[in-house]
């Protein structure tokens, strides 16, 4: 991907990221409220935008950042898609490697 395209995508991603974070902060829903799932969807979109920023960062893809992005996405998705053991998959990202 050329730098012009990367920068354009990242610029659009930053704008979307700013909007999702603003909407999330304004939402006063608490766990158990009828609108809680909507707030979690906004948070999921925010985490997806973090993944976009990580994926398009110049240089090597930082494994720790990618793990953190995926962990967050899977953890939030568990609330939206119960019964798929996504949190268990997320937790696998942080199991220390066996020598």
């Amino acid at each position: 991907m050329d730098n012009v395209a990367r920068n354009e995508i990242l610029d659009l991603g930053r704008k979307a990221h700013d909007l999702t974070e603003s909407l999330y902060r304004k939402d006063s829903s608490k766990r158990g409220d009828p609108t809680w799932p909507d707030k979690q969807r906004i948070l999921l979109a925010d985490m997806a935008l973090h993944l976009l920023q990580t994926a398009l960062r110049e240089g090597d893809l930082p494994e720790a950042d990618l793990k953190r992005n995926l962990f967050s996405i899977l953890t939030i998705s568990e609330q939206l898609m119960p019964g798929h053991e996504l949190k268990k998959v997320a937790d696998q990202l942080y199991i220390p490697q066996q020598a």
Side-chain angles (χ1 to χ4, degrees), residues 76-92:
I76 296 162
S77 295
E78 175 73 20
Q79 297 175 56
L80 302 171
M81 295 175 39
H84 294 280
E85 299 186 355
L86 297 176
K87 181 66 170 113
K88 184 185 287 186
V89 174
D91 290 341
Q92 293 291 316

Side-chain angles (χ1 to χ4, degrees), residues 34-75:
T35 57
W36 177 253
D38 290 336
K39 184 174 185 178
Q40 293 308 286
R41 289 174 67 166
I42 295 168
L43 183 59
L44 180 61
D46 180 55
M47 293 301 109
L49 290 163
H50 281 277
L51 177 59
L52 172 93
Q53 293 168 338
T54 297
L56 295 183
R57 189 175 303 154
E58 289 190 44
D60 293 337
L61 184 64
E63 185 177 326
D65 291 350
L66 182 57
K67 281 182 178 183
R68 187 172 37 258
N69 295 151
L70 294 172
F71 177 86
S72 297
I73 288 169
L74 289 167
T75 300

